[in-house]
Amino acid sequence: MAATDSFCSLVESFSTRVKELKGLMLLRTADIRETWTVQMENINSTLEEAESQMNLLKRQLESEKQYIQKAEELIDSAQRQSRDVRNVASIVNIRQAPSSTSDLSAPASQVPSGLVDVTNQFKNVVAAQSSAPTKKPSAVPQISLLTVEELAAVPQYQKGRVSVEKVNACIEELQSIVKAKYRILATPINKQNDEMIKKFKVYKAQETEELKSSFFFCETDFRSAGQLRLDATGKCVLNILRHTGRMSVNSTAGLMRYVLNPSQP
């Protein structure tokens, strides 16, 4: 709210300076030679104040853009946490399922031995699945192409003037870039050439404990790309992919990582 009031105040102040300039410019036609120097000094002073107000407006707009970006990151984080909660809930339901069998009111001596064996086997399977470490899928998730309907549902401020053809061309290029990246990471170090080893070290430095079971790419991975560039269009494409659930953003230690969603829409 304070930021909005400050912005409105700047706009109002700038409008006042513009009105003063208009009034002073009208005085140019007046036949008042004695005050000509004073008028020009007033014009110069008003112009300087207007320029100062314009610079303040620019800084305020940049600040608002940063707030919007932080809000988008919070939304992505909330969506990831929501998915994690659903996954945990499904695991809890599975683990609680056999407990109703073990809590039968009948004495253990009256329960058929076959039922006890099946129940125990089921418990062992569930325990093994829950204790097993999460393994990373062997294949990079396929990024599904965008439809016209999906693009239409994206807010205008996020998609700009990007077409569905441009987005899909970037998706295909990103798919190739990510596959090439993880092909290098999967290659034994003794079978890599100097260029591959150099990329291998960069990719390893990008990894975090949190993303060990995920596939992701960074902005440095597509700097030499043909379709996706680090410009306004490229940022719109990345915003569209985030909005449609094809990927999320993870920012750690000042590095932006774009994580592919294994459950593509």
Side-chain angles (χ1 to χ4, degrees):
M1 189 68 183
T4 303
D5 293 341
S6 176
F7 183 78
C8 292
S9 177
L10 285 173
V11 171
E12 183 178 354
S13 178
F14 184 75
S15 299
T16 302
R17 296 291 176 263
V18 172
K19 290 179 181 178
E20 291 178 0
L21 276 174
K22 289 182 178 179
L24 290 171
M25 293 303 294
L26 289 175
L27 290 175
R28 293 179 60 184
T29 58
D31 190 14
I32 309 176
R33 300 180 180 277
E34 304 81 24
T35 60
W36 179 257
T37 303
V38 176
Q39 293 169 11
M40 293 303 294
E41 290 177 352
N42 289 339
I43 290 175
N44 182 63
S45 176
T46 303
L47 279 173
E48 290 178 351
E49 291 183 8
E51 183 179 2
S52 176
Q53 296 295 332
M54 178 62 74
N55 291 332
L56 286 175
L57 281 172
K58 289 181 180 179
R59 288 195 292 269
Q60 188 69 28
L61 286 174
E62 291 297 327
S63 177
E64 295 295 332
K65 289 181 180 178
Q66 293 178 0
Y67 290 143
I68 292 175
Q69 183 178 359
K70 290 180 180 179
E72 291 175 351
E73 292 178 1
L74 288 174
I75 292 173
D76 288 335
S77 177
Q79 290 175 345
R80 288 198 306 272
Q81 291 179 1
S82 178
R83 287 196 297 270
D84 293 341
V85 169
R86 289 197 296 269
N87 292 337
V88 171
S90 63
I91 294 174
V92 170
N93 290 335
I94 292 176
R95 298 185 65 179
Q96 287 180 347
S99 63
S100 59
T101 304
S102 61
D103 294 337
L104 293 174
S105 58
S109 59
Q110 297 180 8
V111 178
S113 59
L115 180 59
V116 173
D117 293 339
V118 171
T119 302
N120 291 333
Q121 290 176 6
F122 184 76
K123 287 182 178 180
N124 293 335
V125 170
V126 172
Q129 290 179 348
S130 60
S131 61
T134 303
K135 291 185 178 180
K136 188 171 188 174
S138 57
V140 176
Q142 184 70 30
I143 309 175
S144 57
L145 297 179
L146 191 73
T147 64
V148 176
E149 292 76 13
E150 285 179 307
L151 182 61
V154 178
Q156 187 64 41
Y157 77 93
Q158 287 190 344
K159 65 184 177 182
R161 297 182 178 180
V162 180
S163 64
V164 67
E165 292 80 11
K166 176 65 176 180
V167 176
N168 285 335
C170 292
I171 287 177
E172 291 175 348
E173 187 173 46
L174 273 178
Q175 191 75 56
S176 300
I177 291 172
V178 177
K179 283 184 177 179
K181 171 181 179 177
Y182 283 93
R183 192 180 301 118
I184 291 176
L185 288 172
T187 302
I189 197 72
N190 58 349
K191 294 184 179 180
Q192 297 183 15
N193 56 34
D194 292 341
E195 185 64 24
M196 292 175 66
I197 291 175
K198 183 178 178 181
K199 291 182 178 180
F200 180 88
K201 291 180 179 179
V202 173
Y203 296 154
K204 278 296 184 182
Q206 296 172 352
E207 291 182 349
T208 64
E209 188 69 26
E210 180 184 357
L211 299 178
K212 277 191 174 181
S213 60
S214 303
F215 293 92
F216 68 90
F217 63 92
C218 302
E219 293 179 352
T220 54
D221 299 337
F222 60 84
R223 279 182 176 171
S224 59
Q227 292 290 338
L228 186 60
R229 301 291 182 85
L230 291 174
D231 53 13
T233 300
K235 291 179 180 179
C236 286
V237 170
L238 294 175
N239 285 336
I240 292 169
L241 297 182
R242 291 167 58 186
H243 183 84
T244 55
R246 284 164 172 77
M247 69 181 191
S248 58
V249 173
N250 177 281
S251 180
T252 306
L255 182 63
M256 194 77 75
R257 300 169 181 82
Y258 299 92
V259 185
L260 301 187
N261 184 359
S263 302
Q264 294 288 318

